[in-house]
Amino acid sequence: MQGVWINKKGEKYPTRQGYEIEIIEYIRHNNCTIRFNDERCTILYNIRYDHIKSGSVSNPYHLSVFDIGYLGIGVYTVKINKKTSLCYRVWSDMLRRCYSEKHQNNNITYIGCDVTEEWKCFQNFAEWYYENYDSNIMCKWQLDKDILIKGNNIYSPENCCFVPQEINNLFTKTNSKRGEYPIGVSLHREGKFQAFMSVNNKQKYFGLYKTIQEAFQVYKTEKEKYIKETADKWKGLISKKVYEVMYNYKVEITD
């Protein structure tokens, strides 16, 4: 004897995220159309009835990542072959740097940084990501926000690029460790000023000078030269825009 079909349209259930959902179309147990009671009146299709009753249906616009990021509706998924995608990890790490108080307590560099509204939606970020990230040549490359625009603190499609870690390290600021002297300058025990910079995680020194300004000028010359050499090393792999920015980069005493 076949079971009696009962139309579930109009039934309402709470979700674990705190929303209420209403079944607005019931075709069969694994094909329901539902509507959330959120500001968008978000509608989802092909939802299982047992998931509705259990409250396990997630709202794609719920601020689920650091209370500011949401998945959105689109073709891009969090998991690929049951593993969290690199795209999602890059997106969530970007949000963590900007909005995790714990992270900012450990790295003050990101205090005051923000993510454009467009990129708070994973679907929008993922579209840009797959247009700009080539997994064949960009293995372990990093998302950067302030090479194209010096001093920028907003993650957005216009401001960001992918670069290898070697390039990203060239522009990393360590203000908390610098002390009272300009970048690339330290006080030597003989009362003179030493010019230095980090190359491959090792300190390279360029002599002692009578004044801070002299030491900084030496550092500036060597740093700009090294940035150009690194740009040439990665030419053809980094974007033309990144290459040009690196070649024209000017080190300032206020950096």
Side-chain angles (χ1 to χ4, degrees):
M1 180 178 177
Q2 292 184 346
V4 178
W5 183 86
I6 300 176
N7 189 358
K8 311 291 185 181
K9 181 179 178 180
E11 292 186 4
K12 297 180 180 180
Y13 296 93
T15 74
R16 296 171 187 172
Q17 293 177 326
Y19 300 95
E20 182 181 75
I21 51 179
E22 178 182 357
I23 300 174
I24 58 177
E25 185 177 19
Y26 181 87
I27 299 174
R28 59 182 66 89
H29 75 281
N30 62 350
N31 188 354
C32 301
T33 301
I34 63 171
R35 179 172 58 221
F36 285 83
N37 69 332
D38 60 3
E39 293 180 355
R40 292 182 171 88
C41 295
T42 303
I43 295 176
L44 298 182
Y45 303 90
N46 301 314
I47 305 300
R48 291 179 59 92
Y49 180 68
D50 56 337
H51 292 172
I52 296 170
K53 288 192 68 176
S54 68
S56 61
V57 180
S58 296
N59 186 334
Y61 294 103
H62 181 68
L63 303 182
S64 56
V65 184
F66 299 105
D67 297 323
I68 202 161
Y70 57 94
L71 299 181
I73 296 176
V75 300
Y76 302 104
T77 58
V78 172
K79 292 185 179 293
I80 298 177
N81 297 327
K82 298 183 179 180
K83 294 183 178 180
T84 303
S85 70
L86 178 60
C87 175
Y88 179 82
R89 296 202 304 271
V90 172
W91 177 71
S92 60
D93 282 346
M94 172 185 67
L95 294 175
R96 176 177 57 85
R97 290 193 291 272
C98 292
Y99 304 113
S100 168
E101 183 176 344
K102 179 179 179 180
H103 176 79
Q104 292 187 349
N105 287 339
N106 295 326
N107 191 338
I108 63 173
T109 302
Y110 292 98
I111 294 177
C113 291
D114 203 355
V115 175
T116 184
E117 287 298 320
E118 178 185 357
W119 272 9
K120 291 174 184 175
C121 173
F122 172 67
Q123 296 297 322
N124 294 334
F125 176 83
E127 181 178 10
W128 178 89
Y129 174 93
Y130 287 112
E131 288 176 354
N132 290 273
Y133 188 86
D134 185 344
S135 59
N136 293 317
I137 63 173
M138 295 183 175
C139 180
K140 297 184 179 180
W141 283 28
Q142 299 173 337
L143 178 69
D144 181 88
K145 66 173 175 21
D146 49 17
I147 289 179
L148 295 181
I149 302 177
K150 189 174 183 180
N152 171 65
N153 62 359
I154 304 294
Y155 285 93
S156 72
E158 300 78 21
N159 301 339
C160 288
C161 59
F162 286 106
V163 293
Q165 184 175 356
E166 180 181 10
I167 290 178
N168 206 12
N169 288 346
L170 286 176
F171 302 95
T172 299
K173 301 292 191 299
T174 54
N175 294 337
S176 61
K177 300 179 181 179
R178 185 173 304 162
E180 60 183 296
Y181 301 106
I183 187 171
V185 178
S186 64
L187 179 64
H188 195 263
R189 62 179 179 271
E190 297 176 3
K192 293 184 178 180
F193 297 94
Q194 187 167 242
F196 70 96
M197 72 177 181
S198 178
V199 178
N200 297 324
N201 294 320
K202 294 182 180 180
Q203 298 287 32
K204 187 174 182 180
Y205 298 95
F206 304 105
L208 300 177
Y209 302 89
K210 293 180 179 180
T211 67
I212 293 174
Q213 290 73 18
E214 287 179 295
F216 173 76
Q217 285 300 320
V218 172
Y219 163 78
K220 172 181 170 68
T221 299
E222 294 294 335
K223 182 73 173 188
E224 291 175 356
K225 176 184 175 184
Y226 183 53
I227 291 174
K228 289 182 174 63
E229 291 172 351
T230 307
D232 285 333
K233 175 182 175 180
W234 290 94
K235 187 177 183 179
L237 296 176
I238 57 177
S239 70
K240 182 179 178 181
K241 190 172 183 179
V242 171
Y243 178 83
E244 290 175 349
V245 167
M246 291 179 67
Y247 233 76
N248 292 294
Y249 189 84
K250 299 300 180 185
V251 176
E252 306 293 341
I253 198 166
T254 53
D255 286 349

